[in-house]
Amino acid sequence: MHTSFAVSLRQSMADPLPPPAQRHTPADVRAAVLVARYIALTTFRRDGRPVTTPVWAAEREGRLYIFSNPEAGKIKRLRNSSRAAVAPCTWNGTRTGEELPATARILASAELPAMWASLVKKYGLAAVPFRLLYLVRRFLRLPLSAGIEVSLTP
């Protein structure tokens, strides 16, 4: 029994996605992305190479909202191109579902409070320290967190 568990574990680690026959419909895949605890956000360098980062994302009106350090690489890449992709993932970025194409944009500072409200609603107390840091930085007139809006493409 121990051996079969090890074999099963190795197989599940080798191919985190189910076989094509067991994959879900596009509506199921989209719903899985919108409700996932962690999202693998893929942005693209100028030369087209993808860079994937696991992030928190909260859904509002069919779009995903993500916070980030304004100096992070994903923000710099989004300034060059709005092309993106998202997939549900684990905390360390291991994909647990299919990747969907998307477009992303950096939010204006006036849109950040709504983003934070969505994140606090979804993540509860875990998001509160990040929200407080944002408020302190705003009070001290320091650079604020950046927000990203991701729209899934049909």
Side-chain angles (χ1 to χ4, degrees), residues 14-93:
D15 185 19
L17 296 177
Q22 294 177 0
R23 292 191 183 159
H24 301 289
T25 65
D28 292 340
V29 173
R30 185 181 178 94
V33 167
L34 293 176
V35 300
R37 182 154 178 86
Y38 299 99
I39 297 295
L41 173 66
T42 302
T43 53
F44 296 87
R45 293 182 176 159
R46 288 183 184 166
D47 63 6
R49 288 182 294 159
V51 179
T52 302
T53 309
V55 294
W56 278 358
E59 185 268 337
R60 183 168 55 98
E61 298 175 4
R63 294 185 174 97
L64 293 172
Y65 290 87
I66 299 165
F67 78 96
S68 179
N69 180 326
E71 301 300 319
K74 60 184 156 286
I75 297 295
K76 293 175 185 176
R77 289 186 293 276
L78 287 173
R79 285 190 185 113
N80 294 317
S81 171
S82 63
R83 182 176 160 215
V86 291
C89 71
T90 62
W91 65 272
N92 65 356

Side-chain angles (χ1 to χ4, degrees), residues 2-20:
H2 176 70
T3 307
S4 65
F5 174 73
V7 170
S8 173
L9 181 61
R10 264 188 259 125
Q11 288 172 344
S12 68
M13 291 176 70
D15 185 19
L17 296 177

